């Protein structure tokens, strides 16, 4: 990994944490409108964003109500979901298709985070999974046009 990749990933991790904490009242809990989840779409443009996003999630989850469970399960959710979409990029080349698949994968995989929250708040597991998945779906769907507009200006595929 070169210096530029390290620096860009450090900036992505820092931005992920900053944006998450900016909206902290709605970034944690059973309904998570964590705007920083839009950064998950960056791997569509370059798989090397994996590290910055994953580290950003880990650091943000230090502030989670689920504590250590969210550090493990929240970070695992991100790493697994990013890994799946990186794998799919080998077969699917259309960026818009990948962005929608990324949205669905992250939303479905919220069952991982739901497990950690279920241990902490002891609500219905299916209810927690549903609310997390819907909030993730909304944020990532909103994120598609945002990330595409930013891509035109910032060129994420050439930035790292």
């Amino acid at each position: 990994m070169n210096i530029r990749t390290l620096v860009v990933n450090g900036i992505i991790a820092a931005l992920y944490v900053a944006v998450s904490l900016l909206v902290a009242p709605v970034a944690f809990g059973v309904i998570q409108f964590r705007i920083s989840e839009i950064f998950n779409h960056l791997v569509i443009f370059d798989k090397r964003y994996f590290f910055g996003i994953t580290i950003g999630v880990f650091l943000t989850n230090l502030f989670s109500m689920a504590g250590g469970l969210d550090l493990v399960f929240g970070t695992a959710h991100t790493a697994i979901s990013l890994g799946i979409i990186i794998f799919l990029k080998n077969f699917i080349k259309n960026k818009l298709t990948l962005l929608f698949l990324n949205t669905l994968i992250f939303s479905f995989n919220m069952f991982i985070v739901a497990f950690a929250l279920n241990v902490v708040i002891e609500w219905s597991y299916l209810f927690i999974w549903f609310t997390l998945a819907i909030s993730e779906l909304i944020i990532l769907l909103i994120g598609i046009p945002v990330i595409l507009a930013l891509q035109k200006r910032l060129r994420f595929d050439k930035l790292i």
Side-chain angles (χ1 to χ4, degrees), residues 35-103:
I35 298 166
S36 52
E37 286 290 284
I38 292 171
F39 290 120
N40 294 332
H41 287 317
L42 291 176
V43 297
I44 301 304
F45 303 101
D46 195 310
K47 66 183 177 184
R48 292 176 291 178
Y49 288 110
F50 174 91
F51 301 104
I53 298 164
T54 305
I55 292 167
V57 169
F58 179 83
L59 294 173
T60 298
N61 286 342
L62 290 169
F63 301 93
S64 171
M65 65 190 252
L69 285 173
D70 210 9
L71 286 174
V72 173
F73 290 95
T75 305
H77 163 260
T78 298
I80 291 166
S81 299
L82 290 173
I84 292 169
I85 202 67
I86 289 168
F87 173 76
L88 290 176
K89 280 179 60 175
N90 294 318
F91 308 100
I92 302 167
K93 301 302 177 197
N94 183 284
K95 299 280 190 234
L96 193 56
T97 301
L98 286 166
L99 287 164
F100 279 106
L101 280 173
N102 197 40
T103 299

